[in-house]
Amino acid sequence: MDIVPILSTLRRHKTTALLVVLEIALTCAIVCNAVFLISNRLERMKMPGGVAQHELIMVQAASIGQQADAKARAREDLALLRQIPGVTAAALVNEVPFTNSSWNTSIKLDPKQKLATLNATQYYGENLLQTFGTRLVAGRYFRDDEYMDFADIRNNEELQAKVGSIVITQGLAEKLWPGQSPLGRSIYLGDSSVRVIGVVAGLIRPSLFNGDASAQWSMVFPLRMDTGNASRYVLRSAPAERERVLAAAAAALRKADPHRVILDKKTLDELRDDFFQGDRSMAGLMLGVCVALLVVTALGIVGLGSFWVAQRRRTIGVRRALGATRGNILHYFQTENFLLATIGIALGMVLAYGINLFLMVHYELPRLPAFYLPVGAAVLWLIGQAAVLGPALRAAAVPPVVATRSV
Amino acid sequence: MFGYYLDLALRSLKRNKVLTALMVLAIALGIGTSMTTLTVMHVLSGDPIPGKSAQLFRVRMNVYPDDSFRQGDKVPDNLTRRDAEALLLAGQADRQAAMSAGAMVVVSAKGEPLRVATRYTGADFFPMFDAPMRYGAAWRREDDAGRARVAVISDALNEQLFGGADSVGQTLRVGDQSLRIVGVLGDWSMNPRFYDLSNGQFGDSEQVFVPLSTALDLKLSTSGSTSCWGNAPDPRAADAPCIWLQYWAELGTPAKAAAYRQYLQNYIALQQQGGRFTHDGQAGLLDVMQWLDAKGVVPADVRLQTWLALGFLGICLLNTVGLLLAKFLRRSGEIGVRRALGASRRAIFVQCLVEAGVVGIAGGAFGLALAALGLVLVRHQPTDYGAYVHMDLRMLLATFVLALASSLLAGLLPAWRAMHVAPAVALKSN
């Protein structure tokens, strides 16, 4: 197909041609970035927790006032919870993944360091790792005799120094000692130090307030919580049993202490869903806007295409009378659209990279992968061709006899 | 004349229903998404206490010891108890209050435990933040000093515990302690809850207010961010090296604010001379809107959505420009006849713009419906601000202004082209 006549025609319709090009360019730029944002959000929602995701439930309970017998209360509560049929493990912990309350501290690798190395979260709770169902990749979990009461060490520096061991995640180990075995190494918290005795494959920190890069920087301490300093009970059961266990656990806790308020009771799946709700709705919204954008652009092409066909009816008739086939006319409009789309896409790619740069600076987004551009181009070409097909077919249907009539 | 143009516009729009529908739909989609996100932005970035937001200041300072001080770090938001009490004692502002959030379990008349959110603060809190009283009155400054066992409760809690009756003088049981109710708040909600953005930025106000001194005395549980340096067995102790108290000051005039800034500088200098640290220290005041801005109350996602929606509106407008151009130029013949019969270029231009405006108004009306739908979706999202997102009269008007302005903008180029149609050529080709 000869494109020279098409170009000369377009030169005479600069404004309309420019409008189509601009619309395609903007659509290309926005859709590429929006799809990239969607894929980022979907990727984030797959973030590994490192725990037995479908087997855990959490019940949060608050008591009235100060408790004298908090340690005994906690022991009793856990014994009651373990008696619930279907419960395979239970723990009273200070924090739970996919919630927004977290205990964090900054750590050093050398006590003489002036500034801390990084900030990591602190998980406390007897039997926490076994209940959470983390996967041990090196070393061991805590022995029963290693646990100390958090209530006792809290205000006692001497006892704090005796907390000797800690289990960390692979992610944290890799960050602190890249390529080396973390077992036996020391981490300094304030004036005291702890030695790494075990490494788990993963354990996500609650409330990713320091950004996603530090999501796996978690430390687990051999500390026992009581009802005076922790409120979250975590239970493990078969996935199908969870709803029943949840109800039974809340009832058991209330029965053990009627002056107690159940603040929250959810499966870990529900907590996870809530935690990523913002990402899900953002992805949904982006998707909606993308579809609407493509539809609007396609309708715009249909509208302008129809206008052009109507405007050139006479010319088309003359061409047909001079021997052009229906196919020639059809191809003419298709090629014209392809040309405009190509210019628009080229412009759109530059714009897409520009928008991506802006997002990288202001929203900490990664660079747009290069493969988005050919895919985006293909989609817009297809949409352009689909949109122009109707008007082009109408153009092809113009009979040669039009040439002899005055319109 | 306008009526005639309007009539012409309506006729023309009726002639090609599909093209008209396309244009109205494009504008409606653009306006609908833009207005949804702009309304969310409007609510999030609104002034929670109009008329007073320039007189209320968050007081911040950096008194870290040398080994915790990093040059270039942000000034911490909260104060240590030692500094907050020193500022309160000096009382250099018109009104001032140190405060913290907390939670407690109160026992209802029926003996049921009830978890309530609390605020531990000073007597100045209520007049400072324009909190109205339904019954009774706020406690007095003497009560702060005397650690009086008093409380002000919210209207909602009063409803729950006392069925809405005047409960002043009644007792609030908190564990084994009791507080005497001195006041019941009237209708009062600050959204965003600027005075404490650390425990949910939107939501109802707290249900129980207790003097800070009393709360510390009774060791009531606090919540919110606490950060300590050094060993701090009890972060709430009078000399604990922990920052956790929020501090607000009311300064009625810019001169007073300047004087207070100077006072803070002097205070910091005194601390430095006293040997607490050797660095320069930092102190500052932020008024309500600066404070909201510094804390990033508008989430990054919402800003991004607004950009996206405006981009979408831009594309919809480009689309409308193209379609209007097609429509007007298709009528070259008609325009030629009108020009030949004496219509001026200006008349053609205005006529075309009226037609664009009609499309814009129709798109605006339809877009308003889409925005209302969009806001219903926003309210169903589990965000803390969702429930407070409503379209007010200003945004309603803004919708039509935006729709009309954008359609007129879209109509400018097509109208310009239409006005320059040469009558002779148009008539001949007819």
Side-chain angles (χ1 to χ4, degrees), chain A residues 327-365:
Chain A
N328 287 145
I329 303 294
L330 187 69
H331 286 141
Y332 175 89
F333 281 96
Q334 285 173 333
T335 315
E336 185 185 67
N337 181 273
F338 185 80
L339 270 180
L340 291 178
T342 308
I343 303 172
I345 288 164
L347 208 62
M349 307 251 156
V350 179
L351 211 55
Y353 255 103
I355 294 180
N356 180 235
L357 280 181
F358 173 82
L359 293 177
M360 277 165 69
V361 172
H362 293 276
Y363 296 95
E364 288 163 17
L365 223 69

mmCIF file of all heavy atoms in Angstrom, chain A residues 327-365:
data_model
loop_
_atom_site.group_PDB
_atom_site.id
_atom_site.type_symbol
_atom_site.label_atom_id
_atom_site.label_comp_id
_atom_site.label_asym_id
_atom_site.label_seq_id
_atom_site.Cartn_x
_atom_site.Cartn_y
_atom_site.Cartn_z
ATOM 1 N N GLY A 327 -11.488 -3.309 -1.395
ATOM 2 C CA GLY A 327 -10.331 -3.638 -0.551
ATOM 3 C C GLY A 327 -9.361 -2.476 -0.461
ATOM 4 O O GLY A 327 -8.845 -2.155 0.618
ATOM 5 N N ASN A 328 -9.127 -1.809 -1.607
ATOM 6 C CA ASN A 328 -8.197 -0.676 -1.613
ATOM 7 C C ASN A 328 -8.656 0.403 -0.634
ATOM 8 O O ASN A 328 -7.864 0.961 0.136
ATOM 9 C CB ASN A 328 -8.133 -0.053 -3.020
ATOM 10 C CG ASN A 328 -7.362 -0.940 -3.987
ATOM 11 O OD1 ASN A 328 -7.686 -1.027 -5.158
ATOM 12 N ND2 ASN A 328 -6.346 -1.629 -3.466
ATOM 13 N N ILE A 329 -9.986 0.702 -0.699
ATOM 14 C CA ILE A 329 -10.524 1.759 0.168
ATOM 15 C C ILE A 329 -10.397 1.341 1.632
ATOM 16 O O ILE A 329 -9.952 2.109 2.491
ATOM 17 C CB ILE A 329 -12.010 2.016 -0.169
ATOM 18 C CG1 ILE A 329 -12.166 2.385 -1.650
ATOM 19 C CG2 ILE A 329 -12.583 3.099 0.737
ATOM 20 C CD1 ILE A 329 -11.544 3.692 -2.031
ATOM 21 N N LEU A 330 -10.769 0.086 1.923
ATOM 22 C CA LEU A 330 -10.690 -0.441 3.281
ATOM 23 C C LEU A 330 -9.256 -0.303 3.805
ATOM 24 O O LEU A 330 -9.011 0.217 4.892
ATOM 25 C CB LEU A 330 -11.136 -1.909 3.286
ATOM 26 C CG LEU A 330 -11.265 -2.575 4.652
ATOM 27 C CD1 LEU A 330 -12.424 -1.989 5.420
ATOM 28 C CD2 LEU A 330 -11.436 -4.073 4.493
ATOM 29 N N HIS A 331 -8.305 -0.760 2.969
ATOM 30 C CA HIS A 331 -6.905 -0.719 3.386
ATOM 31 C C HIS A 331 -6.416 0.691 3.577
ATOM 32 O O HIS A 331 -5.595 0.959 4.433
ATOM 33 C CB HIS A 331 -6.025 -1.452 2.355
ATOM 34 C CG HIS A 331 -6.192 -2.930 2.455
ATOM 35 N ND1 HIS A 331 -6.227 -3.748 1.352
ATOM 36 C CD2 HIS A 331 -6.381 -3.725 3.517
ATOM 37 C CE1 HIS A 331 -6.429 -4.994 1.736
ATOM 38 N NE2 HIS A 331 -6.517 -4.997 3.053
ATOM 39 N N TYR A 332 -6.935 1.597 2.763
ATOM 40 C CA TYR A 332 -6.522 2.988 2.880
ATOM 41 C C TYR A 332 -6.785 3.486 4.298
ATOM 42 O O TYR A 332 -5.903 4.006 4.976
ATOM 43 C CB TYR A 332 -7.285 3.855 1.864
ATOM 44 C CG TYR A 332 -6.993 5.316 2.015
ATOM 45 C CD1 TYR A 332 -5.931 5.897 1.331
ATOM 46 C CD2 TYR A 332 -7.761 6.120 2.858
ATOM 47 C CE1 TYR A 332 -5.643 7.231 1.483
ATOM 48 C CE2 TYR A 332 -7.474 7.461 3.024
ATOM 49 C CZ TYR A 332 -6.418 8.020 2.332
ATOM 50 O OH TYR A 332 -6.127 9.346 2.486
ATOM 51 N N PHE A 333 -8.033 3.285 4.766
ATOM 52 C CA PHE A 333 -8.380 3.791 6.106
ATOM 53 C C PHE A 333 -7.646 3.041 7.211
ATOM 54 O O PHE A 333 -7.246 3.616 8.203
ATOM 55 C CB PHE A 333 -9.897 3.746 6.308
ATOM 56 C CG PHE A 333 -10.585 4.893 5.636
ATOM 57 C CD1 PHE A 333 -11.137 4.741 4.366
ATOM 58 C CD2 PHE A 333 -10.638 6.134 6.236
ATOM 59 C CE1 PHE A 333 -11.742 5.804 3.730
ATOM 60 C CE2 PHE A 333 -11.238 7.197 5.603
ATOM 61 C CZ PHE A 333 -11.802 7.041 4.351
ATOM 62 N N GLN A 334 -7.466 1.726 6.982
ATOM 63 C CA GLN A 334 -6.727 0.954 7.990
ATOM 64 C C GLN A 334 -5.290 1.423 8.082
ATOM 65 O O GLN A 334 -4.743 1.586 9.177
ATOM 66 C CB GLN A 334 -6.799 -0.535 7.656
ATOM 67 C CG GLN A 334 -8.162 -1.120 7.983
ATOM 68 C CD GLN A 334 -8.301 -2.550 7.512
ATOM 69 O OE1 GLN A 334 -7.651 -2.957 6.548
ATOM 70 N NE2 GLN A 334 -9.171 -3.303 8.172
ATOM 71 N N THR A 335 -4.660 1.663 6.944
ATOM 72 C CA THR A 335 -3.265 2.109 6.957
ATOM 73 C C THR A 335 -3.161 3.484 7.602
ATOM 74 O O THR A 335 -2.237 3.766 8.376
ATOM 75 C CB THR A 335 -2.704 2.166 5.524
ATOM 76 O OG1 THR A 335 -3.084 0.981 4.854
ATOM 77 C CG2 THR A 335 -1.197 2.289 5.537
ATOM 78 N N GLU A 336 -4.142 4.348 7.264
ATOM 79 C CA GLU A 336 -4.126 5.688 7.824
ATOM 80 C C GLU A 336 -4.156 5.615 9.351
ATOM 81 O O GLU A 336 -3.375 6.264 10.050
ATOM 82 C CB GLU A 336 -5.340 6.459 7.312
ATOM 83 C CG GLU A 336 -5.367 7.885 7.740
ATOM 84 C CD GLU A 336 -6.654 8.548 7.305
ATOM 85 O OE1 GLU A 336 -7.729 8.165 7.828
ATOM 86 O OE2 GLU A 336 -6.591 9.423 6.440
ATOM 87 N N ASN A 337 -5.072 4.763 9.873
ATOM 88 C CA ASN A 337 -5.177 4.612 11.323
ATOM 89 C C ASN A 337 -3.888 4.056 11.910
ATOM 90 O O ASN A 337 -3.416 4.495 12.956
ATOM 91 C CB ASN A 337 -6.362 3.707 11.661
ATOM 92 C CG ASN A 337 -6.524 3.533 13.146
ATOM 93 O OD1 ASN A 337 -5.901 2.650 13.728
ATOM 94 N ND2 ASN A 337 -7.330 4.378 13.766
ATOM 95 N N PHE A 338 -3.289 3.086 11.189
ATOM 96 C CA PHE A 338 -2.055 2.473 11.664
ATOM 97 C C PHE A 338 -0.945 3.517 11.774
ATOM 98 O O PHE A 338 -0.200 3.552 12.755
ATOM 99 C CB PHE A 338 -1.643 1.342 10.710
ATOM 100 C CG PHE A 338 -0.447 0.575 11.181
ATOM 101 C CD1 PHE A 338 -0.576 -0.411 12.152
ATOM 102 C CD2 PHE A 338 0.813 0.840 10.665
ATOM 103 C CE1 PHE A 338 0.534 -1.107 12.593
ATOM 104 C CE2 PHE A 338 1.918 0.149 11.099
ATOM 105 C CZ PHE A 338 1.776 -0.834 12.063
ATOM 106 N N LEU A 339 -0.886 4.379 10.776
ATOM 107 C CA LEU A 339 0.130 5.432 10.786
ATOM 108 C C LEU A 339 -0.053 6.357 11.978
ATOM 109 O O LEU A 339 0.887 6.638 12.719
ATOM 110 C CB LEU A 339 0.021 6.259 9.495
ATOM 111 C CG LEU A 339 0.845 5.788 8.309
ATOM 112 C CD1 LEU A 339 0.604 6.720 7.125
ATOM 113 C CD2 LEU A 339 2.323 5.806 8.677
ATOM 114 N N LEU A 340 -1.309 6.821 12.148
ATOM 115 C CA LEU A 340 -1.585 7.736 13.261
ATOM 116 C C LEU A 340 -1.271 7.060 14.589
ATOM 117 O O LEU A 340 -0.677 7.648 15.486
ATOM 118 C CB LEU A 340 -3.046 8.183 13.227
ATOM 119 C CG LEU A 340 -3.430 9.094 12.066
ATOM 120 C CD1 LEU A 340 -4.909 9.425 12.106
ATOM 121 C CD2 LEU A 340 -2.607 10.377 12.119
ATOM 122 N N ALA A 341 -1.703 5.783 14.719
ATOM 123 C CA ALA A 341 -1.475 5.047 15.962
ATOM 124 C C ALA A 341 0.022 4.924 16.228
ATOM 125 O O ALA A 341 0.475 5.100 17.360
ATOM 126 C CB ALA A 341 -2.119 3.670 15.895
ATOM 127 N N THR A 342 0.795 4.669 15.162
ATOM 128 C CA THR A 342 2.234 4.499 15.348
ATOM 129 C C THR A 342 2.879 5.777 15.872
ATOM 130 O O THR A 342 3.672 5.751 16.808
ATOM 131 C CB THR A 342 2.892 4.079 14.026
ATOM 132 O OG1 THR A 342 2.182 2.955 13.526
ATOM 133 C CG2 THR A 342 4.349 3.709 14.232
ATOM 134 N N ILE A 343 2.496 6.902 15.252
ATOM 135 C CA ILE A 343 3.054 8.175 15.729
ATOM 136 C C ILE A 343 2.643 8.390 17.190
ATOM 137 O O ILE A 343 3.450 8.758 18.045
ATOM 138 C CB ILE A 343 2.562 9.355 14.857
ATOM 139 C CG1 ILE A 343 2.941 9.108 13.389
ATOM 140 C CG2 ILE A 343 3.159 10.667 15.347
ATOM 141 C CD1 ILE A 343 2.352 10.109 12.437
ATOM 142 N N GLY A 344 1.353 8.135 17.466
ATOM 143 C CA GLY A 344 0.843 8.307 18.824
ATOM 144 C C GLY A 344 1.574 7.421 19.817
ATOM 145 O O GLY A 344 1.948 7.864 20.905
ATOM 146 N N ILE A 345 1.792 6.173 19.422
ATOM 147 C CA ILE A 345 2.454 5.233 20.325
ATOM 148 C C ILE A 345 3.893 5.679 20.591
ATOM 149 O O ILE A 345 4.354 5.676 21.740
ATOM 150 C CB ILE A 345 2.410 3.805 19.738
ATOM 151 C CG1 ILE A 345 0.976 3.267 19.821
ATOM 152 C CG2 ILE A 345 3.352 2.880 20.483
ATOM 153 C CD1 ILE A 345 0.716 2.064 18.953
ATOM 154 N N ALA A 346 4.586 6.111 19.528
ATOM 155 C CA ALA A 346 5.972 6.561 19.705
ATOM 156 C C ALA A 346 6.024 7.709 20.705
ATOM 157 O O ALA A 346 6.835 7.726 21.638
ATOM 158 C CB ALA A 346 6.548 6.996 18.362
ATOM 159 N N LEU A 347 5.097 8.658 20.522
ATOM 160 C CA LEU A 347 5.030 9.796 21.424
ATOM 161 C C LEU A 347 4.661 9.321 22.833
ATOM 162 O O LEU A 347 5.200 9.792 23.841
ATOM 163 C CB LEU A 347 3.959 10.764 20.900
ATOM 164 C CG LEU A 347 4.116 12.231 21.218
ATOM 165 C CD1 LEU A 347 5.384 12.769 20.604
ATOM 166 C CD2 LEU A 347 2.894 12.990 20.701
ATOM 167 N N GLY A 348 3.718 8.369 22.887
ATOM 168 C CA GLY A 348 3.222 7.833 24.159
ATOM 169 C C GLY A 348 4.313 7.150 24.962
ATOM 170 O O GLY A 348 4.348 7.240 26.183
ATOM 171 N N MET A 349 5.224 6.463 24.268
ATOM 172 C CA MET A 349 6.315 5.770 24.959
ATOM 173 C C MET A 349 7.196 6.766 25.697
ATOM 174 O O MET A 349 7.560 6.563 26.853
ATOM 175 C CB MET A 349 7.195 5.045 23.952
ATOM 176 C CG MET A 349 6.414 4.154 23.057
ATOM 177 S SD MET A 349 6.757 2.487 23.464
ATOM 178 C CE MET A 349 5.320 1.699 22.866
ATOM 179 N N VAL A 350 7.535 7.859 24.994
ATOM 180 C CA VAL A 350 8.363 8.894 25.623
ATOM 181 C C VAL A 350 7.634 9.431 26.851
ATOM 182 O O VAL A 350 8.195 9.558 27.942
ATOM 183 C CB VAL A 350 8.643 10.031 24.620
ATOM 184 C CG1 VAL A 350 9.478 11.114 25.277
ATOM 185 C CG2 VAL A 350 9.333 9.478 23.387
ATOM 186 N N LEU A 351 6.345 9.704 26.672
ATOM 187 C CA LEU A 351 5.521 10.242 27.750
ATOM 188 C C LEU A 351 5.433 9.237 28.898
ATOM 189 O O LEU A 351 5.508 9.603 30.078
ATOM 190 C CB LEU A 351 4.129 10.524 27.190
ATOM 191 C CG LEU A 351 3.352 11.671 27.802
ATOM 192 C CD1 LEU A 351 4.159 12.948 27.750
ATOM 193 C CD2 LEU A 351 2.031 11.848 27.074
ATOM 194 N N ALA A 352 5.283 7.953 28.547
ATOM 195 C CA ALA A 352 5.172 6.900 29.568
ATOM 196 C C ALA A 352 6.418 6.882 30.442
ATOM 197 O O ALA A 352 6.334 6.800 31.668
ATOM 198 C CB ALA A 352 4.971 5.540 28.910
ATOM 199 N N TYR A 353 7.588 7.025 29.800
ATOM 200 C CA TYR A 353 8.823 7.044 30.571
ATOM 201 C C TYR A 353 8.902 8.283 31.434
ATOM 202 O O TYR A 353 9.364 8.245 32.587
ATOM 203 C CB TYR A 353 10.055 6.915 29.660
ATOM 204 C CG TYR A 353 10.639 5.527 29.774
ATOM 205 C CD1 TYR A 353 10.431 4.577 28.798
ATOM 206 C CD2 TYR A 353 11.345 5.166 30.923
ATOM 207 C CE1 TYR A 353 10.901 3.292 28.940
ATOM 208 C CE2 TYR A 353 11.827 3.887 31.074
ATOM 209 C CZ TYR A 353 11.606 2.951 30.076
ATOM 210 O OH TYR A 353 12.073 1.686 30.238
ATOM 211 N N GLY A 354 8.388 9.395 30.901
ATOM 212 C CA GLY A 354 8.376 10.637 31.682
ATOM 213 C C GLY A 354 7.529 10.477 32.933
ATOM 214 O O GLY A 354 7.956 10.813 34.043
ATOM 215 N N ILE A 355 6.300 9.960 32.756
ATOM 216 C CA ILE A 355 5.403 9.766 33.901
ATOM 217 C C ILE A 355 6.049 8.809 34.894
ATOM 218 O O ILE A 355 6.016 9.019 36.105
ATOM 219 C CB ILE A 355 4.039 9.230 33.428
ATOM 220 C CG1 ILE A 355 3.336 10.283 32.572
ATOM 221 C CG2 ILE A 355 3.176 8.852 34.621
ATOM 222 C CD1 ILE A 355 1.991 9.852 32.047
ATOM 223 N N ASN A 356 6.677 7.748 34.351
ATOM 224 C CA ASN A 356 7.327 6.765 35.221
ATOM 225 C C ASN A 356 8.439 7.415 36.052
ATOM 226 O O ASN A 356 8.571 7.160 37.249
ATOM 227 C CB ASN A 356 7.863 5.615 34.375
ATOM 228 C CG ASN A 356 8.556 4.567 35.226
ATOM 229 O OD1 ASN A 356 9.694 4.220 35.000
ATOM 230 N ND2 ASN A 356 7.862 4.065 36.244
ATOM 231 N N LEU A 357 9.190 8.322 35.433
ATOM 232 C CA LEU A 357 10.251 9.019 36.161
ATOM 233 C C LEU A 357 9.650 9.827 37.302
ATOM 234 O O LEU A 357 10.140 9.812 38.432
ATOM 235 C CB LEU A 357 11.023 9.946 35.214
ATOM 236 C CG LEU A 357 12.078 9.277 34.348
ATOM 237 C CD1 LEU A 357 12.781 10.315 33.484
ATOM 238 C CD2 LEU A 357 13.098 8.562 35.226
ATOM 239 N N PHE A 358 8.541 10.524 37.006
ATOM 240 C CA PHE A 358 7.852 11.320 38.025
ATOM 241 C C PHE A 358 7.407 10.417 39.181
ATOM 242 O O PHE A 358 7.601 10.734 40.350
ATOM 243 C CB PHE A 358 6.645 12.012 37.372
ATOM 244 C CG PHE A 358 5.745 12.721 38.341
ATOM 245 C CD1 PHE A 358 6.053 13.998 38.791
ATOM 246 C CD2 PHE A 358 4.591 12.112 38.812
ATOM 247 C CE1 PHE A 358 5.220 14.648 39.681
ATOM 248 C CE2 PHE A 358 3.761 12.761 39.710
ATOM 249 C CZ PHE A 358 4.083 14.032 40.140
ATOM 250 N N LEU A 359 6.823 9.268 38.831
ATOM 251 C CA LEU A 359 6.347 8.352 39.868
ATOM 252 C C LEU A 359 7.513 7.778 40.672
ATOM 253 O O LEU A 359 7.403 7.543 41.867
ATOM 254 C CB LEU A 359 5.545 7.212 39.241
ATOM 255 C CG LEU A 359 4.213 7.609 38.601
ATOM 256 C CD1 LEU A 359 3.550 6.405 37.958
ATOM 257 C CD2 LEU A 359 3.285 8.214 39.639
ATOM 258 N N MET A 360 8.643 7.563 39.987
ATOM 259 C CA MET A 360 9.812 7.012 40.681
ATOM 260 C C MET A 360 10.307 7.989 41.734
ATOM 261 O O MET A 360 10.709 7.592 42.821
ATOM 262 C CB MET A 360 10.934 6.712 39.680
ATOM 263 C CG MET A 360 10.774 5.371 38.985
ATOM 264 S SD MET A 360 11.826 5.235 37.543
ATOM 265 C CE MET A 360 13.431 5.167 38.284
ATOM 266 N N VAL A 361 10.242 9.278 41.387
ATOM 267 C CA VAL A 361 10.730 10.292 42.323
ATOM 268 C C VAL A 361 9.745 10.476 43.476
ATOM 269 O O VAL A 361 10.121 10.492 44.639
ATOM 270 C CB VAL A 361 10.952 11.628 41.585
ATOM 271 C CG1 VAL A 361 11.279 12.730 42.585
ATOM 272 C CG2 VAL A 361 12.072 11.471 40.575
ATOM 273 N N HIS A 362 8.438 10.574 43.150
ATOM 274 C CA HIS A 362 7.461 10.959 44.171
ATOM 275 C C HIS A 362 6.787 9.786 44.867
ATOM 276 O O HIS A 362 6.243 9.940 45.946
ATOM 277 C CB HIS A 362 6.400 11.874 43.564
ATOM 278 C CG HIS A 362 6.946 13.200 43.141
ATOM 279 N ND1 HIS A 362 7.090 14.247 44.010
ATOM 280 C CD2 HIS A 362 7.437 13.632 41.960
ATOM 281 C CE1 HIS A 362 7.632 15.271 43.384
ATOM 282 N NE2 HIS A 362 7.847 14.924 42.137
ATOM 283 N N TYR A 363 6.758 8.627 44.250
ATOM 284 C CA TYR A 363 6.020 7.517 44.856
ATOM 285 C C TYR A 363 6.869 6.264 45.005
ATOM 286 O O TYR A 363 6.349 5.177 45.203
ATOM 287 C CB TYR A 363 4.746 7.229 44.053
ATOM 288 C CG TYR A 363 3.794 8.378 44.075
ATOM 289 C CD1 TYR A 363 3.787 9.308 43.061
ATOM 290 C CD2 TYR A 363 2.907 8.549 45.138
ATOM 291 C CE1 TYR A 363 2.933 10.394 43.093
ATOM 292 C CE2 TYR A 363 2.055 9.625 45.183
ATOM 293 C CZ TYR A 363 2.066 10.547 44.158
ATOM 294 O OH TYR A 363 1.215 11.623 44.197
ATOM 295 N N GLU A 364 8.183 6.422 44.900
ATOM 296 C CA GLU A 364 9.106 5.318 45.110
ATOM 297 C C GLU A 364 8.731 4.073 44.310
ATOM 298 O O GLU A 364 8.730 2.960 44.815
ATOM 299 C CB GLU A 364 9.206 4.985 46.599
ATOM 300 C CG GLU A 364 9.968 6.045 47.350
ATOM 301 C CD GLU A 364 9.748 5.964 48.856
ATOM 302 O OE1 GLU A 364 9.277 4.914 49.305
ATOM 303 O OE2 GLU A 364 10.039 6.941 49.532
ATOM 304 N N LEU A 365 8.382 4.288 43.080
ATOM 305 C CA LEU A 365 8.031 3.180 42.207
ATOM 306 C C LEU A 365 9.275 2.737 41.443
ATOM 307 O O LEU A 365 10.133 3.565 41.146
ATOM 308 C CB LEU A 365 6.975 3.670 41.214
ATOM 309 C CG LEU A 365 5.831 2.727 40.965
ATOM 310 C CD1 LEU A 365 4.973 2.643 42.217
ATOM 311 C CD2 LEU A 365 5.012 3.209 39.796
#
